[in-house]
Amino acid sequence: EAQVTQNPRYLITVTGKKLTVTCSQNMNHEYMSWYRQDPGLGLRQIYYSMNVEVTDKGDVPEGYKVSRKEKRNFPLILESPSPNQTSLYFCASSAPGLERYEQYFGPGTRLTVT
Amino acid sequence: SQQGEEDPQALSIQEGENATMNCSYKTSINNLQWYRQNSGRGLVHLILIRSNEREKHSGRLRVTLDTSKKSSSLLITASRAADTASYFCATHYIISGSRLTFGEGTQLTVNP
């Protein structure tokens, strides 16, 4: 089944404790992206990647890091989480090179930073 | 911000009625997409309309695009309680490469 998976689905952590949210897709998509969703603010893009070893900042990259060492994986790293990073996070992928611009979303990771 | 704007923010209708949601955007686009999100879950792609298209259908969904007004609408006909969800438009701007810019969404409630 074609899908985007994220782990963990739920995470409660404390300020300053480094964490990683994994994202993996099995559709051989070149493009992957991370979004955060907050009430009243819609989806905002954090980082995106056009292909392996190619990443770029989205609209709200501060406090986040990403890497793209393999085509299927695109982890999101919070080196020193803060309470304002409490949010619902989504990973997505697509195949723009095939003009398949629709994005496939993971199930989401609900992060709470206390 | 180039974020699209959706209207209305919330819509409540009875089963069987039609639901119309609107999306406005700011600059030239390659395509515009509509997504659906059930509460707290991942977004699901519904339909894509390219900048050179004016109308597109998919089942009970009808999307229109007016590039002169920089706006799009999503019509859901004969709505069902299962259509209750948030609906987002996402614009693929020409200048933004492969990125999509999402609106804030319309919360649709269909009452049985």
Side-chain angles (χ1 to χ4, degrees):
Chain A
E1 180 191 353
Q3 61 182 350
V4 178
T5 57
Q6 293 178 229
N7 282 292
R9 295 287 314 280
Y10 302 92
L11 180 60
I12 300 174
T13 190
V14 296
T15 299
K17 186 176 181 182
K18 181 179 178 180
L19 66 92
T20 299
V21 184
T22 64
C23 172
S24 183
Q25 50 91 7
N26 61 1
M27 296 168 279
N28 202 37
H29 284 169
E30 297 89 356
Y31 181 89
M32 297 186 74
S33 179
W34 276 102
Y35 299 90
R36 61 177 288 174
Q37 185 176 31
D38 302 287
L41 296 175
L43 265 78
R44 294 179 293 168
Q45 190 175 48
I46 303 170
Y47 269 94
Y48 64 99
S49 169
M50 297 293 292
N51 214 323
V52 175
E53 301 293 0
V54 180
T55 63
D56 211 343
K57 296 177 181 178
D59 299 314
V60 287
E62 294 78 19
Y64 304 93
K65 284 176 57 177
V66 293
S67 67
R68 187 89 181 275
K69 293 184 170 53
E70 304 167 281
K71 198 172 188 179
R72 64 182 294 130
N73 296 323
F74 189 44
L76 179 69
I77 303 158
L78 284 73
E79 294 269 3
S80 182
S82 62
N84 64 12
Q85 293 178 299
T86 292
S87 188
L88 180 57
Y89 291 87
F90 290 102
C91 180
S93 71
S94 69
L98 297 175
E99 293 202 339
R100 297 295 302 273
Y101 296 108
E102 63 267 33
Q103 293 196 3
Y104 293 79
F105 281 78
T109 295
R110 190 169 292 280
L111 172 66
T112 302
V113 183
T114 61
Chain B
S1 167
Q2 294 181 343
Q3 193 170 29
E5 295 181 4
E6 296 185 54
D7 167 56
Q9 287 189 322
L11 180 61
S12 182
I13 59 174
Q14 297 298 121
E15 245 183 345
E17 294 180 340
N18 296 341
T20 300
M21 289 158 267
N22 303 297
C23 171
S24 61
Y25 57 92
K26 294 193 166 72
T27 62
S28 298
I29 59 171
N30 285 320
N31 64 71
L32 186 144
Q33 306 174 33
W34 286 90
Y35 289 79
R36 167 193 167 125
Q37 183 184 33
N38 288 87
S39 180
R41 301 189 135 184
L43 279 72
V44 175
H45 181 262
L46 295 175
I47 195 165
L48 179 153
I49 187 165
R50 298 180 189 277
S51 60
N52 61 354
E53 298 175 314
R54 292 298 165 258
E55 188 170 311
K56 206 159 182 182
H57 297 255
S58 177
R60 293 184 297 112
L61 304 181
R62 173 176 169 253
V63 169
T64 60
L65 179 65
D66 186 335
T67 53
S68 66
K69 295 181 180 178
K70 292 187 171 56
S71 68
S72 174
S73 66
L74 171 68
L75 169 67
I76 304 174
T77 60
S79 63
R80 306 166 181 167
D83 294 328
T84 295
S86 291
Y87 292 83
F88 293 86
C89 71
T91 43
H92 182 204
Y93 288 109
I94 290 173
I95 63 170
S96 66
S98 297
R99 295 179 58 191
L100 291 182
T101 301
F102 285 83
E104 294 181 20
T106 293
Q107 172 60 49
L108 173 66
T109 302
V110 182
N111 302 299

